[in-house]
Amino acid sequence: MIAELGHAALWFAAALAALQMVAGFLAVRAGEGSEIARLVRPSAVVQAALASIAFAMLLWLFAITDLSVKLVAANSHSLKPLVFKLSGAWGNHEGSMLLWVTVMSLSGGLIALAEKRLPERTMQATLAAQGLVSLGFYAFLILSSNPFERLPVPAPEGLGLNPLLQDLGLAFHPPTLYMGYVGLSVAFSFAVGALLTRQVTPDFASAMRPWVLGAWVFLTLGIVAGSYWAYYELGWGGYWFWDPVENASLMPWLAATALLHSTSVLASRDALRVWTIMLGVVAFSMSMVGTFLVRSGILTSVHAFAVDPERGSFILVLLGLFIGGALLLFALRASTINEGQRFTATSREGALVFNNVMLSAILAIVLLGTLYPLLTEAFDVRVSVGPPYFNPVSAIFAVPMLVVMAVGPLLRWRQDRLERIRPELALFAALVLVSLIFFGLVTGVAILPLLGLALGIGLGVASFLPLRGRNLKRVPLATWGMIVAHFGIAVALIGMASESAFSKERLAAVEAGQSTQVGPWVVTLSEVMPVAGPNWTAIEGRLSASYDGGEPVMLTPQARRFWAPPQETTESALSTRWNGQLYAVIGDRTPDGRWQLRLWWKPLVTLIWYGGLLVALGGALALVGRVIADFRRRRIARRIVERRAETEAIA
């Protein structure tokens, strides 16, 4: 009965999405005051409630391990801990799509309830576009990927969740990414609504900006969490491998970063109107491409469409409808949009446009490198695209972008001269040059890590230069957010460069009581013991590790064997210091009785994730600052209107 209730809620939510879409587009065509316009906002709110009920029913089914439901039987097991039962609800294709459409519907309901800044006609068009996107996902779920499908006969036991996904990272990583993706869907709907009504104004950007900021913050958190989860869970010792799954989240983040800056310029300076609309379409397009790359099965094999032609057809139709339709609308309407206020190249707007171009170029590089192997595989040619392509080619555009990122916030709006900020430019250049000379001559690192270290140090200092000469108590919260986010980029960049330049690796075979060394660490294998968990058994190595002869710390890497489903995994052990991290993995036993150990010493590697968290914190500060500022402006505007009304009444 629970599954049937969830399925019914899904159908009713789809019907309301259709009503929201049709009523919204008809209201836009009929103009203000039409009766049908009254249906749009209530439809969005009730649809959000029904989608939430459907997802709650799916969580319930996983919590009680209802093995009569096909999705539960394929992705859960009665012996799994409850947290992994629940996270299994979105650790699969159907459940993740339901999570997507639920968050999207909740966003649409929130817009319908709370958004009052946009003209009503633009709001109707925005909600109609949101209903169209939601309806596409509802149709995909109901007709092709039903999460509530029953089995003819209940399974005796579930197949279980992939052991690599049985980690708290799965409980956090996909939901945060999807909140980011859905935030971009809202930005997309705003862009389509503004195109339909030709009302691309600062008020439109002010309404859209919180959604872009929120999406960007969640995307950042999701990428940081996913990177760290893969780092400690997979046992390979790396934080980023440029594989298609990782790129699927990076591409929308790059587009969202460019969109974030464009909306801020449009909202505050009435410029970059066309850029903002275009990036709103591109950002959501990348989130859809990324989601379907991960969830459609195409990454397993490019021939998955032939294996499942129904699901593949839906994917092609949705991509063509949403992305192709929006790009066509943009092409037809872009010429009617006034670009807004003009500015010179040496201005803050000019710096933002330059960096948006660089971000777009990096996005194109990542998209090409991600899709190219899939395209060649369609012709039975297998190629691999990895760091040798992504790192140097991306650096061509990333290096000038970082330089302009350091200089741009120091420039004035509209028009400026570089001579005015000559001292700041000299300081930044000196820091970069000294760092290049020091690390290049003393350590002899490779060119890309060398550039990363030098630019990271320069950008880290330059991030705080906009505070020079200002009363810190009067600096707006949004400005603090920009400073913290830019500093976070610098911190993460230093961590990436240090990990690449200074990491040490040691592969050794030792027996109990023997020691080996990696970097400044001496690691001794004390013993190896069998241990057991809720649904796994493991061989656990107990290591004693000493840094430069100091007090030893204990590490316990494991080689686990799961039985639901049967699979072997590696659980790394980490020892974190202020200046880096020791990473240990235990492998198989050799024929002569020794145990394989793989050890890494990674200086400053934790700065990668601390920097990512600082970037997200900066976005959150900017979001709070913008919301407070918008609230104050609306309150002042209301007071002015009230005083005018009182004056007119007295007169």
Side-chain angles (χ1 to χ4, degrees):
M1 185 64 185
I2 300 172
E4 286 71 26
L5 179 60
H7 197 208
L10 201 58
W11 269 99
F12 282 120
L16 284 169
L19 176 61
Q20 176 184 329
M21 177 192 68
V22 173
F25 286 133
L26 290 177
V28 171
R29 186 174 181 179
E32 296 183 10
S34 62
E35 291 294 324
I36 198 168
R38 298 180 182 179
L39 297 174
V40 181
R41 290 181 187 261
S43 298
V45 175
V46 178
Q47 180 206 151
L50 290 169
S52 300
I53 291 173
F55 189 68
M57 295 300 100
L58 185 65
L59 288 176
W60 191 348
L61 292 169
F62 271 85
I64 64 175
T65 317
D66 187 341
L67 296 174
S68 67
V69 176
K70 183 178 179 180
L71 192 66
V72 178
N75 295 278
S76 191
H77 192 282
S78 60
L79 298 180
K80 279 200 315 180
L82 179 60
V83 64
F84 298 140
K85 289 182 179 180
L86 294 177
S87 60
W90 56 78
N92 55 80
H93 170 78
E94 291 83 356
S96 65
M97 289 295 99
L98 181 56
L99 174 61
W100 171 294
V101 79
T102 300
V103 179
M104 183 182 297
S105 300
L106 287 171
S107 300
L110 182 60
I111 294 172
L113 288 173
E115 184 53 58
K116 307 295 182 184
R117 286 167 291 186
L118 285 181
E120 189 61 24
R121 190 162 174 264
T122 303
M123 175 52 57
Q124 304 295 348
T126 298
L127 289 175
Q130 188 79 352
L132 173 63
V133 176
S134 298
L135 183 61
F137 281 99
Y138 283 124
F140 191 45
L141 278 169
I142 293 171
L143 303 178
S144 179
S145 303
N146 179 15
F148 298 104
E149 183 180 351
R150 292 277 192 184
L151 291 171
V153 179
E157 186 52 271
L159 298 179
L161 184 66
N162 186 333
L164 290 176
L165 302 180
Q166 295 187 35
D167 186 271
L168 291 177
L170 181 67
F172 182 79
H173 171 57
T176 49
L177 278 183
Y178 280 1
M179 288 180 186
Y181 291 163
V182 170
L184 294 180
S185 79
V186 174
F188 170 82
S189 298
F190 273 110
V192 171
L195 278 174
L196 288 172
T197 59
R198 295 184 176 89
Q199 292 178 325
V200 184
T201 63
D203 286 339
F204 149 77
S206 295
M208 183 168 136
R209 182 167 53 187
W211 293 97
V212 178
L213 260 173
W216 186 77
V217 169
F218 279 115
L219 277 174
T220 303
L221 288 173
I223 291 172
V224 170
S227 171
Y228 193 66
W229 168 73
Y231 169 75
Y232 72 76
E233 179 67 25
L234 298 181
W236 298 341
Y239 64 93
W240 195 266
F241 299 96
W242 289 108
D243 68 27
V245 175
E246 292 174 328
N247 295 346
S249 60
L250 178 62
M251 291 187 293
W253 186 87
L254 292 169
T257 304
L259 175 61
L260 172 62
H261 292 93
S262 291
T263 53
S264 296
V265 173
L266 177 54
S268 58
R269 300 292 166 177
D270 193 17
L272 304 183
R273 293 182 179 180
V274 175
W275 258 106
T276 302
I277 295 296
M278 181 191 71
L279 289 171
V281 174
V282 170
F284 180 59
S285 300
M286 291 302 101
S287 71
M288 282 198 63
V289 169
T291 299
F292 287 129
L293 279 175
V294 174
R295 294 302 183 187
S296 67
I298 191 172
L299 289 182
T300 302
S301 170
V302 76
H303 303 292
F305 283 6
V307 174
D308 189 355
E310 182 183 53
R311 184 173 290 179
S313 298
F314 258 105
I315 291 172
L316 291 176
V317 169
L318 288 177
L319 287 174
L321 178 64
F322 298 149
I323 299 176
L327 290 176
L328 176 62
L329 178 63
F330 175 78
L332 294 174
R333 294 292 179 92
S335 60
T336 67
I337 301 174
N338 189 331
E339 186 53 46
Q341 299 296 323
R342 296 185 176 274
F343 51 86
T344 64
T346 52
S347 64
R348 193 176 298 187
E349 294 97 329
L352 289 171
V353 169
F354 179 86
N355 275 0
N356 278 358
V357 173
M358 296 298 101
L359 284 167
S360 300
I362 297 172
L363 171 59
I365 290 165
V366 176
L367 181 62
L368 176 62
T370 303
L371 296 182
Y372 182 70
L374 304 177
L375 295 175
T376 59
E377 189 178 346
F379 299 97
D380 293 323
V381 178
R382 293 183 178 273
V383 298
S384 177
V385 179
Y389 161 77
F390 287 108
N391 289 343
V393 179
S394 298
I396 294 173
F397 301 97
V399 169
M401 182 186 71
L402 292 168
V403 173
V404 174
M405 185 189 300
V407 176
L410 303 174
L411 296 172
R412 291 171 177 165
W413 297 103
R414 302 280 187 243
Q415 185 176 1
D416 203 353
R417 295 177 299 107
L418 292 178
E419 289 80 4
R420 187 186 62 81
I421 58 171
R422 185 176 296 169
E424 290 87 350
L425 287 174
L427 175 61
F428 173 72
L431 286 169
V432 173
L433 183 60
V434 170
S435 300
L436 285 172
I437 294 172
F438 175 78
F439 289 109
L441 295 179
V442 175
T443 63
V445 300
I447 183 64
L448 287 182
L450 177 62
L451 286 172
L453 288 167
L455 289 172
I457 292 170
L459 178 60
V461 175
S463 299
F464 293 95
L465 292 180
L467 298 175
R468 184 184 177 196
R470 302 180 68 171
N471 184 346
L472 298 184
K473 294 181 180 179
R474 300 179 66 86
V475 175
L477 197 57
T479 302
W480 279 112
M482 176 196 71
I483 291 168
V484 172
H486 286 187
F487 181 67
I489 293 289
V491 171
L493 185 61
I494 293 172
M496 295 173 192
S498 298
E499 193 273 344
S500 177
F502 307 124
S503 288
K504 303 294 182 183
E505 182 180 359
R506 174 70 170 166
L507 180 61
V510 298
E511 55 188 25
Q514 286 187 330
S515 300
T516 187
Q517 187 168 358
V518 56
W521 289 87
V522 175
V523 181
T524 303
L525 177 62
S526 300
E527 59 180 339
V528 178
M529 297 186 63
V531 294
N535 58 339
W536 50 265
T537 58
I539 295 298
E540 180 178 275
R542 299 188 178 179
L543 310 178
S544 175
S546 176
Y547 181 88
D548 272 346
E551 191 71 20
V553 296
M554 296 301 299
L555 299 175
T556 55
Q558 296 177 346
R560 290 184 180 177
R561 182 185 295 273
F562 287 79
W563 61 77
Q567 185 172 332
E568 295 182 359
T569 66
T570 298
E571 296 294 318
S572 62
L574 308 174
S575 178
T576 304
R577 290 174 49 87
W578 69 270
N579 61 339
Q581 207 169 51
L582 175 65
Y583 188 112
V585 174
I586 188 168
D588 296 329
R589 194 171 190 177
T590 62
D592 59 1
R594 294 181 298 169
W595 291 93
Q596 294 179 351
L597 291 181
R598 194 169 186 181
L599 307 170
W600 287 270
W601 164 237
K602 296 177 172 292
L604 302 181
V605 68
T606 51
L607 293 185
I608 297 172
W609 302 291
Y610 290 144
L613 292 176
L614 282 173
V615 172
L617 175 61
L621 290 174
L623 176 60
V624 173
R626 296 296 185 190
V627 170
I628 292 174
D630 288 344
F631 174 77
R632 288 175 177 172
R633 279 195 293 269
R634 290 198 301 270
R635 186 173 62 180
I636 292 172
R638 282 198 305 269
R639 288 179 178 176
I640 292 174
V641 171
E642 290 171 357
R643 288 176 182 175
R644 286 178 179 174
E646 291 174 0
T647 302
E648 292 173 358
I650 293 173

